[in-house]
Amino acid sequence: MSPADTLRFASRAALGYPLRSALMVLAMSIGVAAVVMLTALGDGARRYVVEEFSALGANLLIVLPGRTETGGVNPGSFVSSTPRDLTNDDAAALLRLPLVRRVAPLTVGNSEISVGGRLREVLVVGTSADYLDIRGFKVASGQFLPREDFGRATAVAVIGETIRAELFGNQNAIGRMIRLGDRRLRVIGIMGPAGRGLGMNSDELVLVPVATAQAMFNTNALFRIMVETRGREALAPAQRQLEELLRARREGELDFTVITQDAVLGTFDRILGALTLGVAGIAAISLAVAGILVMNVMLVAVTQRTGEIGLLKALGASARAIRLAFLAEAGLLSLAGALAGFALGHAGAWLIRLLFPALPAWPPDWAVAAAVGTALTTGLLFGVMPARRAAALDPVQALMKR
Amino acid sequence: MAQIELDGINRSFQLGDSEVHALRDVSLRIEAGEYVAVMGPSGSGKSTLLNLLGLLDRPNAGHYRLEGRDVTTLSADEQAAVRSARIGFVFQSFHLVPRLTAAENVALPLMLAGIPAHERSTRVARALHDFGLEARAHHRPDELSGGQRQRVAIARATIMRPAMLLADEPTGNLDRATGQEVTALLEELNAAGMTLIVVTHDPTMGERARRRVLMEDGAIRQDLRRGVEPA
Ligand SMILES: Nc1ncnc2c1ncn2[C@@H]1O[C@H](COP(=O)(O)OP(=O)(O)OP(=O)(O)O)[C@@H](O)[C@H]1O
Ligand SMILES: [Mg+2]
């Protein structure tokens, strides 16, 4: 029997039992679609986080108070009980390092903002003029925070677009006074739209000079210091210089942590990559289930067509021809399922992107290839046993069954 | 050398503890072109004999030479090749593949033998014409009458031009008139030179055969040739 005839015979057989075939295609397609969709979701999450961090701008070092290093005990952990705060003076000292281009100290807190009776809760970020460039934000109108000593508590604020729209509506906001917590501040600028990153939406922020925020929240401590180095190559030496300087400023104690954007990004990339793989693995279980269904359906097909198999043998079909015909049938049905699942999965990913535009939910190529490949392999693998059973049938017995 | 030579054939089936002897020490010679009716009561081993002749079954003991060649020792696939080239089967229940049209059913042996599609279609068209089935070529079995179905089955059995045609109660599922048509058709094929071996319960059909083999309890009780008195 020629390969073309085998395929034609198998496809006729598959079409001859539409319900059974449809069921099998459905099971296979659900398995493939699950892999495609879930990996799209996982990879989308990974890309989202990566983009989020990339939005921070390159060549960035972030200094946090406290030692949060994993990986064994270091001498510092015996000495200090409570870490010293990071202060504005620390930030100012860092700015004097030769390899450092920009420094933005950060103090963050929640407060109430009110203008003429309109009131809402906002996230207040106390920082400095460099923050704009470090984060790659844009000012839509007016100006950003003034370049000045980190210790000066100037009574000005830059507000996000959403805040402006809610508080001022169509009126001009620049130059107007707002009440933020217990302070009266003058609005000097409006942030441009869609500046985003690290879970902070610049549309909903109020930015004030760092000393103003510290006075408001009654603290001297900084939440973070963001440091931009002069170029990518300067990242590692700058980190060393920075650590030396800060350590010197705190009597030799290393009670702070410096993280690089790359390290954070790498960690997230790894975690979410593993997550995607795990999700793909879970989805692949549904493919295995589909494979077992393929086997069952094909076994039923063999039982259903026992008479036909006996006849084919009587007409001179070799065992191989019968085995190939049934294997081809399982393969064709799996292929149809894989293609349907591929389409279904892409449709699902499209729906996710439609519902969550922020999430770049595109199935990775490897996942699609793996899903379709696994479906075909599963179908053929689980088709072998029924095909062998068909080929091994005793023709006389098979012909007697009707 | 006879076309079919059976020597000391035994075939028994194990049914639980007991052994059923379907064929006991059967020896038989059939020449090419003969017309043999195999008759006998139910359970006497007629179908078992026919299955053995058609290489669908193997004897427990004895030898079967087909056209001078010992076929009992062939492998399953070698036997399949012999079936494909030399043997045609006609069954009581037609055994047509329900999802295939009449033409496709007739083409099955050609397809299994690997004959290319264009050659198949001319041969199938000729066969359908010969059996008066042209108008039914694209009908599926459930759209055909019993007689038409059996004619499709006979066309299929003979499309490879086999040396012998084995028919197990070919008229068993047909009414008298249709049965006679089918019998006439088989006799025509025999007249053209094909060995015809028919299992039948119908005495009138048996009468028409030139040779009658009467079976009883797995053994050949009588072997009658027309014009020759029983021994
Ligand atoms: N596969 C089998 N397993 C067990 N016993 C069998 C098997 N096939 C046939 N037999 C037995 O062998 C004997 C002969 O059976 P066979 O089918 O050849 O009879 P038959 O002459 O064709 O009968 P009928 O006229 O009813 O078709 C019977 O007793 C039957 O029960
Ligand atoms: Mg019988």
Side-chain angles (χ1 to χ4, degrees):
Chain A
M1 201 152 132
S2 75
D5 282 330
T6 302
L7 278 181
R8 195 171 317 135
F9 185 80
S11 57
R12 289 292 301 268
L15 293 174
Y17 302 85
L19 186 68
R20 169 175 80 71
S21 298
L23 200 73
M24 190 161 137
V25 168
L26 184 71
M28 199 48 105
S29 66
I30 287 173
V32 172
V35 172
V36 171
M37 247 171 80
L38 288 177
T39 51
L41 208 60
D43 206 53
R46 187 186 64 80
R47 263 185 271 191
Y48 175 78
V49 170
V50 168
E51 275 166 28
E52 200 85 327
F53 270 88
S54 303
L56 277 176
N59 316 327
L60 209 61
L61 293 171
I62 300 166
V63 187
L64 345 170
R67 193 80 201 139
T68 56
E69 192 177 59
T70 54
V73 180
N74 62 47
S77 51
F78 292 109
V79 185
S80 74
S81 46
T82 47
R84 241 164 293 219
D85 292 332
L86 290 169
T87 63
N88 285 336
D89 290 343
D90 289 330
L94 293 180
L95 196 51
R96 286 193 289 276
L97 285 174
L99 289 177
V100 168
R101 179 183 292 155
R102 297 189 175 104
V103 171
L106 230 57
T107 294
V108 178
N110 279 304
S111 186
E112 270 181 355
I113 184 168
S114 65
V115 175
R118 289 185 215 212
L119 191 98
R120 68 160 280 179
E121 185 90 355
V122 286
L123 187 65
V124 178
V125 175
T127 186
S128 68
D130 278 344
Y131 187 67
L132 189 71
D133 287 327
I134 288 179
R135 294 296 304 266
F137 287 163
K138 293 270 181 301
V139 174
S141 60
Q143 61 186 78
F144 197 63
L145 299 175
R147 193 165 292 281
E148 61 188 355
D149 192 277
F150 293 152
R152 278 193 63 183
T154 317
V156 294
V158 177
I159 61 176
E161 171 57 26
T162 308
I163 309 281
R164 185 205 63 76
E166 275 180 30
L167 295 180
F168 297 101
N170 296 330
Q171 299 167 26
N172 180 30
I174 306 279
R176 298 276 300 272
M177 297 302 286
I178 54 171
R179 175 160 286 281
L180 191 62
D182 56 356
R183 290 174 188 255
R184 281 170 58 74
L185 308 175
R186 182 177 303 279
V187 176
I188 57 169
I190 316 292
M191 295 302 291
R196 173 163 79 72
L198 277 180
M200 284 186 192
N201 185 342
S202 71
D203 289 349
E204 307 213 353
L205 290 185
V206 173
L207 296 139
V208 300
V210 62
T212 308
Q214 283 174 328
M216 212 158 83
F217 299 129
N218 194 22
T219 173
N220 286 321
L222 290 176
F223 169 64
R224 300 251 184 293
I225 304 176
M226 290 183 143
V227 179
E228 193 185 312
T229 63
R230 295 182 190 277
R232 205 167 173 74
E233 314 74 47
L235 216 51
Q239 182 173 358
R240 263 194 309 281
Q241 283 181 5
L242 181 153
E243 279 174 359
E244 253 165 57
L245 177 76
L246 284 183
R247 201 205 283 249
R249 287 178 59 80
R250 45 199 61 218
E251 291 136 22
E253 256 187 69
L254 200 66
D255 59 355
F256 58 91
T257 305
V258 181
I259 54 176
T260 61
Q261 190 191 345
D262 279 1
V264 175
L265 210 60
T267 306
F268 268 101
D269 205 28
R270 269 201 309 283
I271 292 173
L272 289 168
L275 188 79
T276 306
L277 218 62
V279 163
I282 292 168
I285 292 174
S286 62
L287 270 178
V289 172
I292 291 166
L293 195 82
V294 167
M295 183 160 73
N296 257 306
V297 163
M298 288 310 294
L299 283 175
V300 170
V302 171
T303 317
Q304 223 173 25
R305 301 220 291 269
T306 300
E308 177 188 323
I309 295 163
L311 168 81
L312 291 176
K313 291 199 157 187
L315 296 181
S318 64
R320 185 168 169 273
I322 289 169
R323 210 162 44 230
L324 284 180
F326 275 86
L327 211 54
E329 193 174 329
L332 282 173
L333 288 172
S334 303
L335 183 68
L339 292 180
F342 179 78
L344 208 66
H346 269 288
W350 173 78
L351 202 68
I352 293 174
R353 292 197 298 274
L354 205 69
L355 294 176
F356 310 99
L359 208 62
W362 296 93
D365 290 345
W366 64 262
V368 174
V372 174
T374 320
L376 273 180
T377 323
T378 317
L380 287 177
L381 219 61
F382 283 91
V384 167
M385 207 257 263
R388 292 174 80 113
R389 178 169 294 186
L393 281 179
D394 170 35
V396 176
Q397 300 285 333
L399 279 167
M400 273 182 355
K401 221 179 249 175
R402 252 268 111 140
Chain B
M1 181 192 72
Q3 186 181 35
I4 292 168
E5 297 179 349
L6 296 182
D7 283 305
I9 295 285
N10 276 285
R11 179 71 172 106
S12 55
F13 295 99
Q14 201 69 42
L15 270 183
D17 298 339
S18 64
E19 209 175 16
V20 182
H21 290 273
L23 293 177
R24 304 169 195 265
D25 199 22
V26 171
S27 296
L28 186 67
R29 268 164 183 59
I30 298 173
E31 301 293 334
E34 270 198 86
Y35 177 6
V36 184
V38 181
M39 304 185 71
S42 184
S44 57
K46 307 182 294 294
S47 296
T48 307
L49 178 66
L50 210 68
N51 289 335
L52 270 162
L53 289 173
L55 296 180
L56 292 176
D57 199 5
R58 289 170 189 268
N60 298 98
H63 284 281
Y64 173 12
R65 265 184 301 281
L66 178 63
E67 295 169 333
R69 178 184 183 200
D70 190 344
V71 288
T72 39
T73 56
L74 296 182
S75 74
D77 278 351
E78 286 168 329
Q79 290 193 335
V82 173
R83 280 200 296 273
S84 166
R86 309 303 294 161
I87 303 169
F89 287 96
V90 177
F91 306 95
Q92 178 177 358
S93 52
F94 320 128
H95 273 300
L96 299 178
V97 179
R99 61 175 183 278
L100 300 181
T101 64
E104 286 166 333
N105 266 289
V106 173
L108 267 180
L110 299 172
M111 187 183 85
L112 290 168
I115 287 162
H118 55 94
E119 191 187 331
R120 288 206 299 259
S121 57
T122 52
R123 279 172 73 170
V124 169
R126 190 162 352 113
L128 288 173
H129 171 82
D130 291 348
F131 289 92
L133 289 162
E134 286 151 307
R136 300 276 167 248
H138 302 295
H139 289 232
R140 285 190 296 147
D142 57 6
E143 301 161 340
L144 299 175
S145 73
Q148 287 168 338
R149 285 183 211 181
Q150 197 58 301
R151 270 189 286 162
V152 171
I154 294 170
R156 184 180 63 192
T158 54
I159 191 87
M160 291 289 289
R161 302 190 197 98
M164 61 191 211
L165 196 54
L166 307 176
D168 196 345
E169 301 184 41
T171 59
N173 278 0
L174 302 174
D175 61 55
R176 177 158 289 277
T178 325
Q180 266 160 10
E181 265 174 51
V182 166
T183 305
L185 199 58
L186 292 172
E187 286 170 355
E188 255 174 63
L189 290 162
N190 172 248
M194 213 175 275
T195 308
L196 177 61
I197 304 171
V198 189
V199 170
T200 182
H201 281 290
D202 180 359
T204 55
M205 188 174 179
E207 292 296 333
R208 301 167 65 134
R210 284 191 298 277
R211 181 177 176 190
R212 275 182 296 157
V213 172
L214 300 179
M215 296 197 65
E216 209 173 281
D217 200 18
I220 295 176
R221 192 63 11 136
Q222 281 186 314
D223 190 349
L224 305 167
R225 283 159 212 266
R226 193 179 294 164
V228 180
E229 283 305 304

